[in-house]
Amino acid sequence: MLAETGRSGEERRIVSVLFVDLVGFTSRAEKLDPEDVRDILTPYYERVRDELERFGGTVEKFIGDAVMGVFGAPTAYGDDPERAVRAAFAVRDWADQDGLQVRIAVNTGEAIVELEARPGHGEAMIAGDVVNTAARLQSAAPVGTVLVGEETYTSTRGSIEYRPAQPVTAKGKEAPVRAWLALRATAAIGERPVTAVPMIGRERELGLLLGNWDRVADEGRAHFVTVFGPSGIGKSRLALELSQLVAARGGRVIRGRSTPYGASTPYSAFSQQVKQIAGIFDSDDPAEARTKLEGGVAELAGPAAAEEHAPHLAVLLGLESEGDVADRETLFFSARVLVESLALDSPTLLLYEDIHWADASLLDLLETFAGRVREVPVFFVTLARPELLTERPGWGGGLPAYTALPLDPLTESSSRELAEQLLSHSSLSAESASAIADTAEGNPLFIEELSASLAEKSTADIRHLPTSVRAIIAARLDSLPPEERSVLVDASVVGRIFWRGALVEIAPREDISALLGSLEARDMIQREAVSRIKGDQQFGFKHALIHDVAYQTLPRAARRDRHAAVARFLEATTAVGQSHEALGHHWREAGETERAVDHLVAAADQSGRGWAKERAAALYREALGLVSDGDESRRKDLLRRLAIAEVGVWHTTDARLLQQAKQEEP
């Protein structure tokens, strides 16, 4: 049995590597005193580190006057390439203001990550070609620019504006590396562009939200809704459609968004709404912003209310640097007065997006609104991933007017319709749309990303997931507690279907039942009513993509050990005749090729006897590929068996065609 593991050791991960280099500093340093060199480099290192860490990155190493940062490891956030490019912009802009010349590059790809590495002690955290290519791109970047590789460009072009650059000839590369110059961000942090296709498959949910709005507007009573769903399931698109319908019916819509980084205050989403109400711009100086705030509150609630509550709202907005408020209730009451005054002026939809990123203070404020704002026409709509319930298990509980609206995956027909719409201007067939729908399993964003990837390649091959899809799922895995994540990764080695006993064989855990129960509650896996192994619990992954990405995190050595454990489990618990093919797979992945060949041949023989000749031929070919060139007798035997199976395939095909022809006769 393998030793129990948490998040330690090595993993395969999609990462984005950022290189920053001072231009011309080496020649300058030759003429400087060592202390002067230190005085220049120290603040440079500190500022670059601050910017990288502000966007969720990690400084992997300092190399002379170059800095290497990593995004996506040891924790993935789902938008790591975009974070890396935004961090690059921040470093570029700071360097320009300080009169420093820099070259910056970002490259995205797969790497081996040492999770226990200590970069601060000089230990390397990642290794792979993605690092070498990033360094080559940085060397080729024009001064004062950000140059990115193809995977970074593909993953971020929806939120970053690019201009094609000359391909970079890199040492050791067979072909020049495609590159793009990153110019500027075109979307706010956390936002995704909306596709031009109509919203599909959410009519029921939109109708429910619109019905709640009509009651709020007609009866003058507040209501609070939280729309739950994982990343990409369509929360923002649903909210956009609702906002447009509310505006068309004469309602006021004010939106605020919580972001994973870059928030200016703990109440950022509410602050954004107040600024919209008062006409405050981020570029306004504090005095001007306070004047606008007082005027906005006075217009809605009157001069006396403005005098009392505007200073408290200024604190919430981060505009007041002096003085304290007696208690938080006073602050929240002022916010409530503003919201109620706003609703009395006109029925209002207050939309809060991505509150799973929100600071606890904002969540407290929203719960205060939900519990105390009553007899006014205001509709609070919040969007959240299920992780919110981990931090706030009682969210919405006991509120007088609250609705939780979970978004389920799209149905098969809606998924296919969406894929067909997205592929309508490409040369791909309806079969491609069906393949996309099957792979995405009802997630609209995954359907969009897969469709875009296939349309560009003009191929129906979806075996390789787009980086964007893999990153989102990796971020969901990284949000799990370490032991639950470890169980899920181990389960991925067993297969889409797995057993409790197999997990115990891989790594004994005293709390395995509790861990599996928690994963089922998180909608990662499901326990099946019937097990193929008597006396053992059988589970299945809810989504094939979760299984695939979890498995892809394991390095080859870790996979081999776990596959061997699974093979031992199957040999001990199943009738071998019923599991030859599975044993062949696991022993092959464990590196035990002779054992694998024996089981694959046995499985092929079984298939042949059952007249599944095509499957038999495929298994013989798989076995043949594992036999060493020196084992000539085994190769001849397999070639003979393969030839017999292929003759059976031809006969089966001929019989099938003959039967089809007879059915088509008039």
Side-chain angles (χ1 to χ4, degrees):
M1 295 184 181
L2 302 179
E4 184 174 349
T5 57
R7 290 200 59 209
S8 60
E10 292 183 339
E11 286 188 353
R12 301 175 74 97
R13 284 178 166 268
I14 297 292
V15 299
S16 292
V17 177
L18 182 152
F19 267 100
V20 185
D21 187 38
L22 280 174
V23 177
F25 184 74
T26 302
S27 58
R28 286 175 56 197
E30 290 179 347
K31 304 171 185 177
L32 296 175
D33 184 84
E35 292 188 29
D36 295 328
V37 172
R38 180 199 61 194
D39 291 343
I40 294 172
L41 287 180
T42 298
Y44 160 72
Y45 288 153
E46 290 176 351
R47 183 58 185 263
V48 173
R49 181 193 294 275
D50 288 346
E51 294 294 356
L52 267 59
E53 292 179 349
R54 183 163 69 92
F55 287 89
T58 300
V59 171
E60 212 264 4
K61 60 170 69 85
F62 298 110
I63 315 166
D65 55 1
V67 181
M68 173 183 160
V70 180
F71 294 77
T75 300
Y77 294 103
D79 59 348
D80 301 290
E82 181 181 334
R83 289 169 178 254
V85 175
R86 289 183 184 271
F89 285 158
V91 172
R92 177 198 64 186
D93 296 344
W94 160 75
D96 183 61
Q97 293 170 6
D98 273 31
L100 297 174
Q101 292 186 320
V102 293
R103 289 191 179 94
I104 309 176
V106 180
N107 191 47
T108 301
E110 190 171 47
I112 284 290
V113 178
E114 175 52 64
L115 296 173
E116 295 176 318
R118 298 173 297 172
H121 290 74
E123 298 173 2
M125 183 169 66
I126 69 171
D129 183 64
V130 61
V131 178
N132 302 327
T133 302
R136 299 289 184 268
L137 289 170
Q138 179 268 313
S139 298
V143 175
T145 66
V146 177
L147 194 67
V148 309
E150 186 167 12
E151 284 294 329
T152 306
Y153 163 74
T154 302
S155 300
T156 61
R157 60 189 169 182
S159 54
I160 307 293
E161 180 183 346
Y162 287 99
R163 186 174 71 233
Q166 287 293 324
V168 175
T169 302
K171 184 178 179 182
K173 292 282 187 180
E174 293 182 3
V177 177
R178 299 180 69 189
W180 286 260
L181 285 170
L183 304 179
R184 64 185 182 90
T186 57
I189 292 171
E191 287 193 355
R192 294 191 182 98
V194 176
T195 60
V197 302
M199 186 178 71
I200 294 171
R202 297 294 186 210
E203 294 79 12
R204 182 185 64 82
E205 292 88 349
L206 182 58
L208 189 150
L209 290 171
L210 198 57
N212 277 320
W213 164 257
D214 288 338
R215 284 192 294 275
V216 166
D218 295 342
E219 300 174 9
R221 295 180 182 178
H223 196 80
F224 194 100
V225 172
T226 300
V227 180
F228 284 104
S231 178
I233 202 67
K235 301 184 296 294
S236 294
R237 181 61 186 270
L238 180 63
L240 174 63
E241 298 288 336
L242 173 66
S243 298
Q244 292 173 343
L245 290 172
V246 166
R249 298 186 183 198
R252 176 194 283 122
V253 179
I254 305 178
R255 174 177 170 237
R257 177 188 290 274
S258 298
T259 60
Y261 53 91
S264 55
T265 75
Y267 302 95
S268 179
F270 179 68
S271 298
Q272 295 164 30
Q273 294 176 330
V274 176
K275 289 178 179 179
Q276 292 174 56
I277 294 166
I280 298 171
F281 297 100
D282 288 347
S283 55
D284 292 341
D285 63 60
E288 182 181 5
R290 284 194 294 270
T291 299
K292 288 183 176 181
L293 178 61
E294 291 167 3
V297 177
E299 185 176 345
L300 287 171
E307 183 177 355
E308 178 181 355
H309 298 294
H312 301 157
L313 292 170
V315 172
L316 285 174
L317 268 63
L319 299 175
E320 191 62 66
S321 58
E322 297 179 1
D324 290 320
V325 180
D327 53 52
R328 194 172 67 165
E329 283 292 320
T330 301
L331 280 178
F332 284 10
F333 180 69
S334 293
R336 175 184 163 191
V337 167
L338 177 65
V339 167
E340 292 177 339
S341 300
L342 190 69
L344 289 171
D345 180 67
S346 175
T348 300
L349 166 62
L350 292 180
L351 175 62
Y352 297 88
E353 299 191 55
D354 295 336
I355 63 168
H356 50 274
W357 295 119
D359 187 87
S361 301
L362 177 64
L363 297 179
D364 291 342
L365 177 61
L366 293 179
E367 288 188 315
T368 299
F369 288 160
R372 300 182 187 179
V373 176
R374 301 282 183 87
E375 303 300 323
V376 292
V378 58
F379 188 23
F380 299 97
V381 176
T382 58
L383 312 181
R385 296 179 191 171
E387 296 92 276
L388 173 67
L389 296 177
T390 302
E391 298 297 322
R392 296 281 177 119
W395 180 259
L399 295 176
Y402 172 75
T403 301
L405 178 59
L407 286 191
D408 294 323
L410 296 178
T411 63
E412 183 180 345
S413 60
S414 294
S415 297
R416 188 167 55 252
E417 182 183 353
L418 177 57
E420 288 171 351
Q421 291 261 11
L422 292 165
L423 294 176
S424 60
H425 298 295
S426 74
S427 60
L428 295 173
S429 64
E431 286 76 12
S432 298
S434 295
I436 289 169
D438 290 343
T439 302
E441 296 185 322
N443 186 297
L445 177 62
F446 294 172
I447 294 172
E448 291 177 16
E449 294 293 330
L450 288 166
S451 298
S453 177
L454 294 191
E456 288 180 355
K457 298 174 183 176
S458 297
T459 174
D461 182 4
I462 56 175
R463 289 175 297 177
H464 302 292
L465 291 179
T467 298
S468 53
V469 173
R470 189 171 167 186
I472 290 169
I473 297 172
R476 190 176 178 193
L477 297 181
D478 282 357
S479 71
L480 296 172
E483 278 307 306
E484 290 182 29
R485 185 182 185 278
S486 175
V487 168
L488 201 68
V489 171
D490 286 351
S492 73
V493 178
V494 187
R496 181 81 187 263
I497 299 297
F498 61 93
W499 297 269
R500 183 184 185 278
L503 299 178
V504 173
E505 181 68 30
I506 292 173
R509 299 174 173 91
E510 293 181 359
D511 54 350
I512 185 64
S513 295
L515 294 170
L516 289 168
S518 181
L519 286 169
E520 186 170 18
R522 296 178 192 276
D523 209 31
M524 294 284 194
I525 63 174
Q526 60 186 1
R527 181 170 177 170
E528 302 193 343
V530 178
S531 176
R532 302 204 306 259
I533 298 177
K534 186 177 180 179
D536 205 344
Q537 297 171 6
Q538 180 170 307
F539 296 84
F541 279 84
K542 287 293 292 289
H543 304 290
L545 294 180
I546 294 176
H547 166 268
D548 295 346
V549 173
Y551 183 75
Q552 288 167 0
T553 65
L554 284 169
R556 287 194 298 264
R559 290 179 187 178
R560 285 195 294 269
D561 293 341
R562 285 160 175 77
H563 278 292
V566 176
R568 292 194 299 270
F569 166 78
L570 291 175
E571 288 181 337
T573 58
T574 65
V576 174
Q578 299 182 30
S579 55
H580 278 308
E581 189 169 339
L583 284 165
H585 163 74
H586 287 294
W587 282 127
R588 182 194 66 205
E589 296 301 320
E592 297 281 352
T593 55
E594 289 189 11
R595 285 181 169 184
V597 169
D598 289 341
H599 286 291
L600 289 171
V601 171
D605 291 345
Q606 281 183 334
S607 297
R609 287 191 293 271
W611 279 93
K613 300 296 185 180
E614 293 180 4
R615 185 61 189 157
L619 290 167
Y620 285 134
R621 289 191 198 96
E622 186 177 345
L624 191 60
L626 296 177
V627 175
S628 63
D629 293 336
D631 193 350
E632 192 60 33
S633 63
R634 192 68 185 273
R635 291 183 65 81
K636 286 181 178 180
D637 176 61
L638 282 175
L639 286 169
R640 180 183 61 81
R641 292 171 186 252
L642 176 59
I644 294 171
E646 288 179 335
V647 169
V649 171
W650 296 333
H651 287 315
T652 303
T653 303
D654 288 343
R656 189 185 304 128
L657 292 173
L658 181 61
Q659 181 66 27
Q660 182 179 347
K662 287 181 178 180
Q663 291 174 350
E664 293 175 354
E665 288 178 358

